[in-house]
Amino acid sequence: MTHTLSVIGTGYLGAVHAACMTQMGHTVVAVDTDADKVAGLAAGRAPLFEPGLDELLAATLATGRLTFTTDVSAVADCDVHFICVGTPQRRGEYAADTRYVFAALEAIAPHLRAGSLVVGKSTVPVGTAHALTELLRELTGRRLAGAAARLAWNPEFLREGFAIKDTMSPDRLVYGVEGDAKEADIALLDEVYAVPLAAGTPRLVVDLPTAELVKVAANAFLATKISFINAMAEVCEAAGADVVHLADAIGMDDRIGRKFLGAGIGFGGGCLPKDIRAFMARAGELGADQALTFLREVDAINDRRRVRMVDMAREQCGGTLRHKRVAVLGAAFKPDSDDVRNSPALDIAAAAQQAGATVVIHDPKAIPAARLARPTLTYAEAVEDALTGADVVLHLTEWSDYRDLDPARLTALVASPSIIDGRNSLDPAVWRAAGWVYRALGRPHA
Ligand code: UDX
């Protein structure tokens, strides 16, 4: 059975969720306070680069079942409401700012009909769902009396670059439900997710705090795995060992697994760095701060990798970056994304410039976003323009475009054929054979 759903917030998560829910057969009203974003989406323009999203928006808008609006009263016909607004890091603090989540609930509350279900998808500090349940009761209890609106938590796990696949066929669905009507909530969510469930997606039913924690625990684990291999990279550098071979070898133990053992300049983006900090802050509030002190180290290892990359560039330039030209390949925090939030690549580019270098950055998709975030850096539309006259090339985002470069053809462009692979994804043998000095984090300097 299909439903009429609302999606509150049309950022990365909301835009993808709204389009995918329409694709699954539902009728969707997506609401945002940002009129420009809404107008763009209504015209089929995604607010960010995500492979396949423009096509999916075009197809789902054409069904007539997907609408974007700034008018929150449009949610009145919906029986399920997904809250997909952001929870950024608070300025000057580690904690997450949940004000948009509360504001979203307050905005929809007057329009909720009896028996409707509000489903939180935003990443929130544990305990938020209970506070929202309380608020929902206060806001709608008297008006809806016997058939009160209810709240469930259904975290998302989407990865940028794979967001559509992760929504259409997720690894798992987690429902956080509580209260007398929880069986009805489960049944309703099962109808909403009938397509992935029919395809065999496992679904777990848990309480509200567990559902909130699943998301941050998953991200904390992924961040820890990356920082673990980056810590091994530090040891490898000191011992003359090779972290890529080490990762290959330990990754063959299927208890460990090779995924997320990519050593390099570390993690960035809108989720991992923010989520581990918010998790530490919340654990502190709960009196469980000791349990997560290791995440402080995870964060510190990650930051150190950025510093190490700049140091290595300095070494390659004979001890100083002053008056040197540095070509930076990649600005996005990862490939197949134009997201530059907390991007290691942009941070390193800015630090190299600060150290006196002339830095020119290329990225296949993220230059507009990077220009906004770091307007004082220099950008090149063509990779050749970034490379021309470079004393050192820093490979910082592993776009396939860079793997496809022919190093032999590039030697004529640069001042010195010297590359540092910050993502350990280029083939050292190919670059060295073409006459380049190839260095990488955590690998021997041949
Ligand atoms: C992450 C989680 O994977 C996703 O489940 C959650 O919903 C949101 O946060 P995302 O931020 O899109 O997704 O990126 P992810 O693919 O996890 O990569 C995060 C960062 O880690 C990137 O900067 C990436 O370059 C880096 N990374 C990843 C490594 O440095 N090494 C690796 O082995 C893997």
Side-chain angles (χ1 to χ4, degrees), residues 249-293:
I250 63 172
M252 281 176 191
D253 181 333
D254 65 9
R255 293 170 302 175
I256 296 174
R258 183 64 174 83
K259 288 182 188 161
F260 273 66
L261 287 182
I265 55 174
F267 57 82
C271 291
L272 261 44
K274 158 184 94 80
D275 288 353
I276 61 168
R277 292 174 186 163
F279 199 13
M280 284 186 266
R282 185 64 185 136
E285 287 166 6
L286 293 169
D289 43 340
Q290 263 192 322
L292 297 187
T293 45

Side-chain angles (χ1 to χ4, degrees), residues 134-289:
E134 209 40 55
L135 180 65
L136 186 61
R137 201 171 295 139
E138 267 170 43
L139 294 174
T140 63
R142 191 171 311 162
R143 182 169 63 84
L144 300 176
R150 301 180 310 277
L151 186 104
W153 214 260
N154 168 226
E156 53 82 21
F157 304 101
L158 37 123
R159 296 162 298 166
E160 297 194 17
F162 300 90
I164 295 170
K165 181 189 160 288
D166 286 350
T167 307
M168 296 303 289
S169 46
D171 293 336
R172 74 293 207 192
L173 287 162
V174 175
Y175 302 169
V177 286
E178 283 180 13
D180 299 342
K182 74 178 184 193
E183 293 307 324
D185 296 345
I186 297 168
L188 187 50
L189 285 168
D190 279 351
E191 287 176 5
V192 169
Y193 289 120
V195 171
L197 288 172
T201 302
R203 136 316 217 168
L204 288 103
V205 177
V206 298
D207 54 29
L208 289 173
T210 305
E212 292 168 306
L213 277 173
V214 168
K215 172 61 189 278
V216 279
N219 277 356
F221 188 85
L222 294 172
T224 303
K225 204 169 173 192
I226 298 168
S227 277
F228 173 83
I229 201 65
N230 283 334
M232 294 304 109
E234 290 184 358
V235 177
C236 284
E237 274 169 34
D242 188 322
V243 74
V244 176
H245 295 159
L246 178 90
D248 288 344
I250 63 172
M252 281 176 191
D253 181 333
D254 65 9
R255 293 170 302 175
I256 296 174
R258 183 64 174 83
K259 288 182 188 161
F260 273 66
L261 287 182
I265 55 174
F267 57 82
C271 291
L272 261 44
K274 158 184 94 80
D275 288 353
I276 61 168
R277 292 174 186 163
F279 199 13
M280 284 186 266
R282 185 64 185 136
E285 287 166 6
L286 293 169
D289 43 340

Side-chain angles (χ1 to χ4, degrees), residues 372-391:
L372 278 178
R374 302 262 191 183
T376 59
L377 293 172
T378 306
Y379 299 94
E381 297 296 329
V383 70
E384 288 78 10
D385 294 340
L387 294 174
T388 301
D391 295 295

